[in-house]
Amino acid sequence: MGNRESCYKNVICEFIMSCNITVRDGSRTDAKAIQAIASPIMKSFGLEPDFDDLDYELGHFGENYPGSIVQLVACLNDAVIGSVILKAHKENVAKLTGFYISEKQQGKGIGKKLLNVAIQRAKLLGHESIYLETWDKMESATNLYQKLGWEKTIDPDPKSGAERAYILNLKS
């Protein structure tokens, strides 16, 4: 198979895959699937999941806890393959957390689609910006944030467990 045919086949596969990807509001029944996706990813970066404290939002996914704004899941057909959470941070500023894509589904545009839905939802709800904290070693995610217009801001408090912070201005 030549390069052109191979490229064409990859484009067709990506198109078919994107047609089967849906983003919807998450529910309590999605919590275990989200935790099963997030746990091995966290561990691969040397982070221990703490669903009762540092990763509270993932531990209580689908619940209407104080500060909860949006909890979204990406699904391939009916299987949950990713999540993103927006919670209250400061006045008119949402905080993005719980952004995980199943390891087998990474690099296929699913994270971008999920983030774009979260960004649109934040805009509709009147937020002026979205803030997030992350780690330098999460290169794929930080590259995606930067491609979508996120800018580095002041590093978070070391107690947060994260190394870097980014902000996305939604007013433009």
Side-chain angles (χ1 to χ4, degrees), residues 38-66:
S39 289
I41 295 170
M42 289 177 177
K43 289 177 181 179
S44 76
F45 288 107
L47 306 168
E48 193 58 39
D50 181 2
F51 298 129
D52 293 321
D53 190 24
L54 284 176
D55 307 304
Y56 180 88
E57 293 80 15
L58 288 170
H60 297 271
F61 194 88
E63 296 177 18
N64 190 19
Y65 51 81

Short mmCIF file of all heavy atoms in Angstrom, two decimals, residues 38-66:
data_model
loop_
_atom_site.label_atom_id
_atom_site.label_comp_id
_atom_site.label_asym_id
_atom_site.label_seq_id
_atom_site.Cartn_x
_atom_site.Cartn_y
_atom_site.Cartn_z
N ALA A 38 -8.75 6.96 34.93
CA ALA A 38 -7.82 7.91 35.55
C ALA A 38 -6.72 7.24 36.38
O ALA A 38 -5.56 7.67 36.34
CB ALA A 38 -8.59 8.91 36.41
N SER A 39 -7.07 6.21 37.14
CA SER A 39 -6.10 5.59 38.07
C SER A 39 -4.81 5.13 37.40
O SER A 39 -3.72 5.51 37.84
CB SER A 39 -6.75 4.43 38.82
OG SER A 39 -7.68 4.91 39.75
N PRO A 40 -4.86 4.30 36.35
CA PRO A 40 -3.60 3.86 35.75
C PRO A 40 -2.81 5.00 35.10
O PRO A 40 -1.58 4.97 35.08
CB PRO A 40 -4.02 2.82 34.71
CG PRO A 40 -5.46 3.01 34.49
CD PRO A 40 -6.02 3.65 35.72
N ILE A 41 -3.51 6.01 34.59
CA ILE A 41 -2.82 7.16 34.00
C ILE A 41 -2.08 7.92 35.10
O ILE A 41 -0.90 8.26 34.94
CB ILE A 41 -3.79 8.07 33.23
CG1 ILE A 41 -4.38 7.31 32.03
CG2 ILE A 41 -3.10 9.36 32.80
CD1 ILE A 41 -5.52 8.01 31.34
N MET A 42 -2.76 8.17 36.21
CA MET A 42 -2.11 8.85 37.33
C MET A 42 -0.88 8.08 37.79
O MET A 42 0.20 8.65 37.97
CB MET A 42 -3.08 9.00 38.50
CG MET A 42 -4.18 9.97 38.30
SD MET A 42 -5.26 9.91 39.77
CE MET A 42 -6.42 11.17 39.36
N LYS A 43 -1.06 6.78 37.96
CA LYS A 43 0.04 5.93 38.44
C LYS A 43 1.21 5.92 37.46
O LYS A 43 2.37 5.87 37.87
CB LYS A 43 -0.46 4.52 38.72
CG LYS A 43 -1.35 4.47 39.96
CD LYS A 43 -1.91 3.08 40.19
CE LYS A 43 -2.81 3.08 41.42
NZ LYS A 43 -3.41 1.77 41.68
N SER A 44 0.92 5.99 36.16
CA SER A 44 2.00 6.00 35.16
C SER A 44 2.85 7.26 35.26
O SER A 44 3.99 7.28 34.80
CB SER A 44 1.43 5.86 33.74
OG SER A 44 0.84 7.06 33.29
N PHE A 45 2.31 8.31 35.88
CA PHE A 45 3.06 9.54 36.10
C PHE A 45 3.59 9.64 37.53
O PHE A 45 4.05 10.70 37.96
CB PHE A 45 2.19 10.76 35.79
CG PHE A 45 1.93 10.95 34.32
CD1 PHE A 45 0.69 10.68 33.78
CD2 PHE A 45 2.94 11.40 33.47
CE1 PHE A 45 0.44 10.85 32.42
CE2 PHE A 45 2.71 11.58 32.12
CZ PHE A 45 1.46 11.30 31.60
N GLY A 46 3.48 8.53 38.28
CA GLY A 46 3.98 8.53 39.65
C GLY A 46 3.05 9.22 40.63
O GLY A 46 3.48 9.62 41.72
N LEU A 47 1.78 9.37 40.28
CA LEU A 47 0.80 10.02 41.14
C LEU A 47 -0.14 8.97 41.71
O LEU A 47 -0.61 8.10 40.98
CB LEU A 47 0.00 11.05 40.34
CG LEU A 47 0.83 12.11 39.60
CD1 LEU A 47 -0.04 12.88 38.63
CD2 LEU A 47 1.51 13.04 40.59
N GLU A 48 -0.41 9.05 42.98
CA GLU A 48 -1.32 8.10 43.62
C GLU A 48 -2.72 8.70 43.66
O GLU A 48 -2.93 9.77 44.22
CB GLU A 48 -0.82 7.79 45.03
CG GLU A 48 -1.49 6.59 45.66
CD GLU A 48 -1.32 5.29 44.86
OE1 GLU A 48 -0.23 5.05 44.31
OE2 GLU A 48 -2.30 4.53 44.79
N PRO A 49 -3.70 8.04 43.05
CA PRO A 49 -5.08 8.55 43.09
C PRO A 49 -5.57 8.71 44.53
O PRO A 49 -5.30 7.87 45.38
CB PRO A 49 -5.89 7.48 42.36
CG PRO A 49 -4.89 6.73 41.54
CD PRO A 49 -3.60 6.78 42.31
N ASP A 50 -6.26 9.81 44.77
CA ASP A 50 -6.81 10.11 46.09
C ASP A 50 -8.22 10.63 45.89
O ASP A 50 -8.46 11.83 45.91
CB ASP A 50 -5.93 11.14 46.81
CG ASP A 50 -6.43 11.50 48.20
OD1 ASP A 50 -7.44 10.92 48.65
OD2 ASP A 50 -5.80 12.36 48.83
N PHE A 51 -9.17 9.71 45.66
CA PHE A 51 -10.53 10.08 45.32
C PHE A 51 -11.32 10.65 46.49
O PHE A 51 -12.45 11.09 46.31
CB PHE A 51 -11.27 8.89 44.70
CG PHE A 51 -10.65 8.42 43.42
CD1 PHE A 51 -10.34 7.09 43.23
CD2 PHE A 51 -10.36 9.30 42.39
CE1 PHE A 51 -9.77 6.64 42.05
CE2 PHE A 51 -9.80 8.88 41.20
CZ PHE A 51 -9.49 7.55 41.03
N ASP A 52 -10.74 10.68 47.68
CA ASP A 52 -11.42 11.27 48.83
C ASP A 52 -10.95 12.69 49.11
O ASP A 52 -11.61 13.42 49.84
CB ASP A 52 -11.19 10.42 50.08
CG ASP A 52 -11.87 9.07 49.98
OD1 ASP A 52 -13.00 9.00 49.44
OD2 ASP A 52 -11.26 8.07 50.41
N ASP A 53 -9.79 13.10 48.54
CA ASP A 53 -9.26 14.43 48.85
C ASP A 53 -8.77 15.15 47.59
O ASP A 53 -9.52 15.88 46.97
CB ASP A 53 -8.13 14.30 49.89
CG ASP A 53 -7.69 15.65 50.44
OD1 ASP A 53 -8.47 16.61 50.40
OD2 ASP A 53 -6.53 15.74 50.91
N LEU A 54 -7.51 14.94 47.19
CA LEU A 54 -6.95 15.67 46.05
C LEU A 54 -7.74 15.46 44.76
O LEU A 54 -7.84 16.36 43.94
CB LEU A 54 -5.48 15.30 45.83
CG LEU A 54 -4.47 15.89 46.80
CD1 LEU A 54 -3.08 15.35 46.52
CD2 LEU A 54 -4.48 17.41 46.74
N ASP A 55 -8.27 14.27 44.57
CA ASP A 55 -9.03 13.95 43.36
C ASP A 55 -10.52 13.77 43.69
O ASP A 55 -11.20 12.92 43.13
CB ASP A 55 -8.46 12.67 42.72
CG ASP A 55 -6.97 12.80 42.48
OD1 ASP A 55 -6.55 13.76 41.81
OD2 ASP A 55 -6.21 11.95 42.99
N TYR A 56 -10.99 14.60 44.60
CA TYR A 56 -12.36 14.53 45.11
C TYR A 56 -13.40 14.50 43.98
O TYR A 56 -14.35 13.73 44.02
CB TYR A 56 -12.64 15.73 46.03
CG TYR A 56 -14.03 15.74 46.61
CD1 TYR A 56 -14.30 15.07 47.80
CD2 TYR A 56 -15.07 16.41 45.98
CE1 TYR A 56 -15.58 15.08 48.34
CE2 TYR A 56 -16.34 16.42 46.50
CZ TYR A 56 -16.60 15.74 47.69
OH TYR A 56 -17.86 15.74 48.22
N GLU A 57 -13.20 15.36 42.97
CA GLU A 57 -14.18 15.47 41.89
C GLU A 57 -14.33 14.14 41.14
O GLU A 57 -15.43 13.78 40.73
CB GLU A 57 -13.79 16.59 40.92
CG GLU A 57 -13.85 17.97 41.52
CD GLU A 57 -12.64 18.34 42.38
OE1 GLU A 57 -11.60 17.63 42.31
OE2 GLU A 57 -12.74 19.31 43.13
N LEU A 58 -13.22 13.43 40.95
CA LEU A 58 -13.30 12.12 40.31
C LEU A 58 -13.95 11.08 41.23
O LEU A 58 -14.67 10.21 40.76
CB LEU A 58 -11.90 11.63 39.90
CG LEU A 58 -11.27 12.38 38.73
CD1 LEU A 58 -9.81 11.98 38.58
CD2 LEU A 58 -12.02 12.10 37.45
N GLY A 59 -13.68 11.20 42.51
CA GLY A 59 -14.28 10.28 43.48
C GLY A 59 -15.77 10.47 43.63
O GLY A 59 -16.48 9.56 44.05
N HIS A 60 -16.24 11.65 43.27
CA HIS A 60 -17.66 11.97 43.41
C HIS A 60 -18.27 12.35 42.07
O HIS A 60 -19.22 13.14 42.01
CB HIS A 60 -17.83 13.08 44.45
CG HIS A 60 -17.38 12.66 45.80
ND1 HIS A 60 -18.20 12.04 46.70
CD2 HIS A 60 -16.15 12.69 46.39
CE1 HIS A 60 -17.52 11.74 47.80
NE2 HIS A 60 -16.27 12.12 47.63
N PHE A 61 -17.71 11.76 41.02
CA PHE A 61 -18.18 12.07 39.67
C PHE A 61 -19.67 11.77 39.54
O PHE A 61 -20.16 10.75 40.01
CB PHE A 61 -17.40 11.25 38.63
CG PHE A 61 -17.59 11.74 37.24
CD1 PHE A 61 -16.78 12.73 36.72
CD2 PHE A 61 -18.61 11.24 36.44
CE1 PHE A 61 -16.97 13.20 35.43
CE2 PHE A 61 -18.81 11.70 35.15
CZ PHE A 61 -17.99 12.69 34.65
N GLY A 62 -20.38 12.70 38.92
CA GLY A 62 -21.82 12.53 38.71
C GLY A 62 -22.67 13.03 39.86
O GLY A 62 -23.89 13.08 39.74
N GLU A 63 -22.03 13.43 40.95
CA GLU A 63 -22.77 13.97 42.08
C GLU A 63 -22.82 15.48 41.96
O GLU A 63 -21.95 16.11 41.35
CB GLU A 63 -22.08 13.58 43.40
CG GLU A 63 -22.04 12.09 43.65
CD GLU A 63 -21.29 11.72 44.92
OE1 GLU A 63 -21.08 12.59 45.79
OE2 GLU A 63 -20.89 10.56 45.02
N ASN A 64 -23.81 16.07 42.57
CA ASN A 64 -23.95 17.52 42.56
C ASN A 64 -23.31 18.09 43.83
O ASN A 64 -23.99 18.58 44.71
CB ASN A 64 -25.43 17.92 42.46
CG ASN A 64 -25.59 19.39 42.20
OD1 ASN A 64 -24.67 20.07 41.77
ND2 ASN A 64 -26.78 19.89 42.48
N TYR A 65 -21.99 18.00 43.93
CA TYR A 65 -21.26 18.49 45.10
C TYR A 65 -21.10 20.01 45.01
O TYR A 65 -21.22 20.59 43.92
CB TYR A 65 -19.91 17.79 45.23
CG TYR A 65 -19.07 17.81 43.98
CD1 TYR A 65 -18.31 18.93 43.65
CD2 TYR A 65 -19.06 16.73 43.12
CE1 TYR A 65 -17.57 18.96 42.49
CE2 TYR A 65 -18.32 16.76 41.96
CZ TYR A 65 -17.57 17.88 41.64
OH TYR A 65 -16.85 17.91 40.49
N PRO A 66 -20.83 20.68 46.12
CA PRO A 66 -20.66 22.14 46.10
C PRO A 66 -19.56 22.56 45.11
O PRO A 66 -18.47 22.00 45.11
CB PRO A 66 -20.25 22.48 47.54
CG PRO A 66 -20.77 21.35 48.36
CD PRO A 66 -20.69 20.13 47.47
#
